[in-house]
Amino acid sequence: MTAIVGLVHQGTVYIGGDSAGASGWSLTVRADSKVFHNNGYLFGFTTSFRMGQLIRYSLKPPKPVGDIERFMATRFIDTVRECLKAGGWARRDSEREEGGTFLVGVKGRLFTVHDDYQVAEAADGYAAVGVGDEIALGALFATAQSRMAPQRRVETALRAAERFSAGVRGPFVCLSQPPGVIAGG
């Protein structure tokens, strides 16, 4: 249960997230953020706080090289898979490996990583994941032609998701990353 929202504006990636930790009908407002920087990458996760902790504290993301889409789908994902396996998070079902879902910003681009490790980049320049994703996407679409600042658009999308989804709660965290940040190491 969550809402993670990302968008790209003039080469800067913005990712925002809520603070809900939900299990069934129980909800805890968490102090640990679902949105963070790691070695030149900007992340926002859903699925599991454990997965997010592994990406935040154990993942050593590699420096992007060559075609960024190819890099993300291969070398980056291979590194994520190894991190999640080592941390005991990755799952295998019918010979298919699964992880979790998160947004990642790097080199001025926004990608969604799905639980089957596919990497997607939305043509619209924005994305959302979690239980509040459709509501947040509607808000991002509705504000796309406005003069609203990008951080405000992210926050508006999160507020809409909080208003209409039982699994989304503030406070909200929104971070940005300009395209010039050197990723990986």
Side-chain angles (χ1 to χ4, degrees):
M1 302 283 173
T2 195
I4 303 296
V5 175
L7 69 84
V8 179
H9 179 78
Q10 297 178 348
T12 296
V13 178
Y14 297 82
I15 297 179
D18 75 325
S19 297
S23 177
W25 289 100
S26 297
L27 185 136
T28 301
V29 174
R30 300 274 302 238
D32 46 337
S33 180
K34 299 176 194 176
V35 179
F36 53 87
H37 293 277
N38 178 352
N39 204 22
Y41 289 77
L42 178 57
F43 290 93
F45 69 89
T46 184
T47 309
S48 163
F49 275 90
R50 178 62 183 148
M51 182 200 70
Q53 291 164 348
L54 290 169
I55 291 171
R56 186 175 195 165
Y57 301 118
S58 294
L59 181 68
K60 307 276 188 269
K63 182 177 181 179
V65 293
D67 177 340
I68 189 72
E69 186 177 339
R70 179 185 198 114
F71 167 83
M72 292 298 290
T74 57
R75 190 157 171 228
F76 176 81
I77 286 300
D78 290 344
T79 304
V80 169
R81 286 177 58 228
E82 290 305 315
C83 173
L84 297 182
K85 276 192 248 181
W89 172 251
R91 298 177 304 273
R92 266 189 111 68
D93 184 25
S94 301
E95 296 306 309
R96 191 180 121 192
E97 191 176 313
E98 293 182 351
T101 303
F102 57 92
L103 298 182
V104 57
V106 62
K107 294 188 71 125
R109 293 177 66 182
L110 176 67
F111 297 94
T112 303
V113 176
H114 295 278
D115 63 357
D116 64 354
Y117 295 112
Q118 72 164 289
V119 177
E121 184 176 23
D124 292 319
Y126 53 82
V129 294
V131 71
D133 64 345
E134 292 177 356
I135 299 163
L137 287 170
L140 289 170
F141 177 83
T143 59
Q145 301 304 316
S146 73
R147 294 178 187 230
M148 192 179 292
Q151 184 166 336
R152 180 124 190 259
R153 286 184 64 207
V154 168
E155 290 168 356
T156 297
L158 290 167
R159 282 197 325 273
E162 179 184 43
R163 174 72 177 180
F164 297 103
S165 174
V168 180
R169 286 293 178 283
F172 306 122
V173 173
C174 183
L175 301 177
S176 64
Q177 181 163 307
V181 172
I182 305 299

